[in-house]
Amino acid sequence: MTTVNPYLIFNGQCEEAFLFYKSVFGGEFPYMGRFSDMPPSDDPNCPPPSADEANRIMHVSLPIGGDTILMGSDSTSQSGDVKIGDNISISINTLSRAEADRLFNGLSAGGFVIMPMQSTFWGAYFGMFKDKFGINWMVNFDENPQ
């Protein structure tokens, strides 16, 4: 089943926020990764994180009941500070690459592609965009589910 989850972006307070959310919802973080955990990239548009940003959260997830997962990360100087109200995305997890492509292509039509669908170092086929109505979306297919 395709799932839809909220994805929150912070300006350096992600870990603090998610520790707070965990204190309210309970549970455990299946994953909390920092920008320093990213492998080096040959892409000149993806420089290594600065010393100040290396400890920021690249991705965290907290199951909050049923099939819902609250996810988040921090911004970086490359992505720029986020504005409250523009710091949430809808994350869609699909059952196949074909479904991911179909949803990505359909929902991004007339919008702005931030990251085209591509295989990632974390084992997912993933892309991001802002639709023509200004809503942020993430589409993910776990190629190597754990």
Side-chain angles (χ1 to χ4, degrees):
M1 171 193 298
T2 299
T3 58
V4 176
N5 296 293
Y7 199 105
L8 310 174
I9 311 289
F10 297 88
N11 291 318
Q13 309 89 1
C14 185
E15 184 170 16
E16 178 184 358
F18 269 76
L19 289 172
F20 170 73
Y21 301 147
K22 180 180 172 186
S23 76
V24 174
F25 290 111
E28 296 297 325
F29 301 124
Y31 180 79
M32 181 182 283
R34 301 185 185 281
F35 284 104
S36 60
D37 298 332
M38 291 174 54
S41 173
D42 294 332
D43 183 349
N45 296 318
C46 189
S50 69
D52 292 338
E53 296 175 338
N55 204 39
R56 284 188 174 198
I57 302 301
M58 177 193 62
H59 179 77
V60 62
S61 56
L62 178 65
I64 59 173
D67 292 327
T68 303
I69 300 173
L70 185 62
M71 296 183 281
S73 67
D74 280 313
S75 63
T76 64
S77 56
Q78 184 179 355
S79 62
D81 283 348
V82 294
K83 295 177 189 155
I84 301 303
D86 196 29
N87 63 328
I88 185 166
S89 293
I90 299 171
S91 176
I92 302 173
N93 294 305
T94 66
L95 296 175
S96 69
R97 276 180 86 109
E99 182 183 28
D101 284 335
R102 181 182 67 79
L103 293 173
F104 185 94
N105 292 333
L107 290 167
S108 67
F112 175 74
V113 173
I114 298 164
M115 179 181 174
M117 293 301 296
Q118 59 190 270
S119 294
T120 64
F121 71 87
W122 64 85
Y125 183 58
F126 178 83
M128 301 185 305
F129 60 91
K130 185 176 290 232
D131 73 18
K132 64 184 176 182
F133 302 104
I135 304 300
N136 296 308
W137 295 84
M138 299 175 171
V139 178
N140 186 83
F141 167 63
D142 289 322
E143 293 184 303
N144 302 313
Q146 299 174 346

